[in-house]
Amino acid sequence: MSRLLEICAASLPSALAAQAGGAHRIELCQNLEQGGTTPSYGLIKAVRARLRIPVFVLIRPRAGGFVYSADELAIMRADIEACRALGCAGVVLGALDAAGRVDQAACQALIAAAGPLCVTFHRAFDACPDQPGALEAVIALGCQRVLTSGGQLTAEAGQNQLAALVVQAAGRVRIMPGAGITASNIQTLAAHTGAPEFHASAKRLVPAEASAGLFATPQFETDAALVAELVALL
């Protein structure tokens, strides 16, 4: 089986490193330490200008849960429209209702805004108490893939559920394991789950700039060598 690697990149340097390392696609976001939020228009534009591989953009207006107000959904639709205008290949989205089910109406409106773009349903899926039911809902929406850890903190911890989701999906949607995927576990996860795509950040800690003073904060950036190692292992 030919397997694909998607790299989660939260900056232009990380996106370039992902491409240099041989990643097949990136998911572009910002604020990765909060689980990722929608990147700025300027970052999307810069990444699109520099990358040859497909760019998917995370559509998530804030950290926290996935029950969105009408105002938040309007912002998300506007962000999706901006991604279309900039020539992105896809968007990564998800919305739930208060009971933890896939919010069909909200997702349908977002997917309609995406038009021809590919759509990944993100890890809001992991907040659904009924994952088999959620998977059928995502398939009914017409999404191309689901990013999930199998409802656990890491894909390794959720690998049995991931394998079950791959079987249930039966090719109707791609199950893409993500969360805590590294060179030490990617081959085992690939063999155990049978998933066709994997999602990782392949990041290293970058020391804070000394000149930042009171505002110094360490950052993580994708490392091209780590990406290349993951691609080779797949």
Side-chain angles (χ1 to χ4, degrees):
M1 175 191 290
S2 176
R3 295 187 175 95
L4 301 182
L5 179 68
E6 175 182 275
I7 292 295
C8 182
S11 69
L12 178 58
S14 285
L16 291 169
Q19 178 170 268
H24 302 97
R25 180 178 65 238
I26 69 161
E27 180 200 352
L28 186 64
C29 68
Q30 286 186 294
N31 300 312
L32 194 53
E33 68 282 356
Q34 295 182 326
T37 56
T38 303
S40 73
Y41 180 91
L43 178 57
I44 300 170
K45 185 176 181 180
V47 168
R48 276 287 299 125
R50 301 283 296 276
L51 262 63
R52 302 179 304 277
I53 60 175
V55 175
F56 283 22
V57 177
L58 177 62
I59 305 298
R60 187 180 180 218
R62 55 165 171 77
F66 304 100
V67 180
Y68 296 113
S69 67
D71 287 339
E72 288 174 324
L73 289 168
I75 291 168
M76 294 164 78
R77 289 194 301 272
D79 285 335
I80 291 169
E81 290 163 4
C83 291
R84 286 183 65 177
L86 287 170
C88 297
V91 288
V92 183
L93 55 83
L96 306 180
D97 64 20
R101 296 173 301 226
V102 174
D103 187 331
Q104 293 277 9
C107 290
Q108 284 171 353
L110 296 175
I111 291 169
L117 302 188
C118 291
V119 176
T120 298
F121 196 96
H122 59 44
R123 288 191 62 208
F125 186 84
D126 290 320
C128 297
D130 174 16
Q131 286 204 334
L135 183 59
E136 295 302 325
V138 170
I139 291 169
L141 285 168
C143 298
Q144 281 74 49
R145 64 185 51 76
V146 182
L147 171 61
T148 173
S149 62
Q152 301 299 317
L153 285 176
T154 66
E156 189 169 13
Q159 61 183 312
N160 289 336
Q161 174 69 353
L162 288 166
L165 291 168
V166 169
V167 171
Q168 181 186 343
R172 296 176 294 164
V173 70
R174 288 179 168 236
I175 303 298
M176 181 169 62
I181 291 180
T182 66
S184 67
N185 61 24
I186 195 166
Q187 286 187 321
T188 299
L189 283 167
H192 188 81
T193 65
E197 302 184 9
F198 291 83
H199 173 98
S201 55
K203 60 185 183 292
R204 290 191 190 277
L205 180 64
V206 177
E209 297 177 8
S211 61
L214 293 174
F215 303 97
T217 179
Q219 295 186 51
F220 287 92
E221 296 284 1
T222 296
D223 184 279
L226 291 178
V227 175
E229 184 179 14
L230 291 172
V231 170
L233 288 168
L234 280 180

